[in-house]
Amino acid sequence: MRKLEDTYRHKGLRKKLIDTIREKGISEENVLDAIMNIPRHFFLDTALDNIAYEDKAFPIAEGQTISQPYTVAYQTQLLQVHQYEKILEIGTGSAYQSCVLAELGAQVFTIERQKKLYEHTKNFGYIKKYNSIKYFYGDGFEGLPTYAPFDKILITAAAPVVPPILLAQLKPGGMMVLPLDAGDKQRMLRITKNEDGSFNEEAFTNFSFVPMLKGKN
Ligand code: SAH
């Protein structure tokens, strides 16, 4: 098995990455600390070890990607995560984003639609230290009715529409952050569910995500 080592060099590169995303506008110290605490190179192929701390998305198994650190930080900051919150994440991928949420003290429920990727990630030894993350194989459009409602919902793939079932699984006062498809780019949205059940919508910058697809694979 591959030996995971977090050297001074890796930590130094991670510090530089923090400086980069801070300059790009991430200001929440708890979000920056979470990224500093997670050895991102563990989530990538050893061949990418030297570039793991560049602020870029990289390929992982099954043709999917680990999001760019700035994007992870941006979505996490918008979600305003507090300790013990129940968070539903759509698109487990490498589980890097799930670990960022767990670092912030959240209870994470994450869904992946690709069986092989789900198995691969669930068996990745390093993330077992985060026992506040639960992994599910399924279609994120359906959410997790058994565990609903959630304080927060985070979609990490480009959603073609705002999934109505997910809005229903949000607690009153809760928030959902998602990249909503608009052609080749996606507009980041934050939707807040008011106590009376109505919704507020705020739109932010454009990003580029892999598509959120229906059904399982
Ligand atoms: N959060 C991930 C980023 C993953 S990329 C990370 O930190 O690495 C988006 C992921 O969403 C892909 O793994 C893709 O397979 C998954 N996905 C796409 N549509 C989905 C759906 N309907 N339900 C669950 N996962 C989905």
Side-chain angles (χ1 to χ4, degrees):
M1 214 181 101
R2 176 183 163 199
K3 195 165 163 234
L4 297 175
E5 268 185 302
D6 191 23
T7 63
Y8 279 112
R9 190 179 65 87
H10 290 116
K11 290 192 179 93
L13 291 171
R14 212 142 68 231
K15 270 220 172 72
K16 280 199 183 129
L17 172 65
I18 299 298
D19 292 342
T20 303
I21 62 177
R22 199 193 285 276
E23 275 163 29
K24 289 184 179 173
I26 304 302
S27 56
E28 292 290 342
E29 294 299 328
N30 63 350
V31 175
L32 294 167
D33 285 349
I35 288 175
M36 188 62 213
N37 289 342
I38 304 172
R40 186 178 191 237
H41 64 286
F42 288 1
F43 295 74
L44 296 167
D45 194 281
T46 31
L48 299 174
D49 208 70
N50 284 325
I51 51 174
Y53 292 100
E54 290 182 12
D55 189 22
K56 287 184 183 155
F58 288 113
I60 53 169
E62 305 306 317
Q64 294 303 321
T65 57
I66 178 171
S67 301
Q68 185 181 344
Y70 171 67
T71 307
V72 171
Y74 192 95
Q75 287 201 298
T76 308
Q77 182 162 287
L78 280 184
L79 211 55
Q80 300 179 354
V81 181
H82 298 107
Q83 206 168 14
Y84 308 127
E85 279 182 340
K86 259 174 82 181
I87 303 188
L88 173 65
E89 180 197 16
I90 312 301
T92 310
S94 68
Y96 178 77
Q97 170 76 72
S98 319
C99 294
V100 171
L101 298 173
E103 277 283 334
L104 292 168
Q107 276 184 277
V108 185
F109 299 77
T110 183
I111 312 180
E112 174 55 54
R113 69 178 287 279
Q114 293 207 47
K115 187 75 181 271
K116 279 191 189 156
L117 189 53
Y118 161 79
E119 298 286 355
H120 178 269
T121 298
K122 220 175 46 139
N123 293 320
F124 167 37
Y126 175 73
I127 61 179
K128 296 202 169 115
K129 75 176 225 180
Y130 294 102
N131 51 25
S132 54
I133 307 177
K134 290 193 171 66
Y135 299 89
F136 298 85
Y137 165 58
D139 179 1
F141 280 99
E142 307 297 327
L144 288 174
T146 318
Y147 296 90
F150 298 94
D151 296 292
K152 306 278 166 71
I153 298 178
L154 177 60
I155 305 184
T156 68
V161 293
V162 180
I165 296 178
L166 297 186
L167 285 179
Q169 291 182 13
L170 206 52
K171 282 186 195 173
M175 281 176 182
M176 170 151 86
V177 170
L178 73 154
L180 187 71
D181 227 334
D184 59 342
K185 283 204 163 73
Q186 297 93 45
R187 172 57 61 97
M188 194 66 77
L189 292 185
R190 178 167 63 189
I191 299 176
T192 307
K193 190 175 199 169
N194 300 316
E195 297 294 335
D196 66 3
S198 64
F199 295 98
N200 282 357
E201 195 177 293
E202 298 161 277
F204 299 89
T205 329
N206 287 339
F207 285 88
S208 187
F209 282 80
V210 298
M212 180 175 180
L213 301 172
K214 285 225 158 69
K216 291 184 277 184
N217 188 354

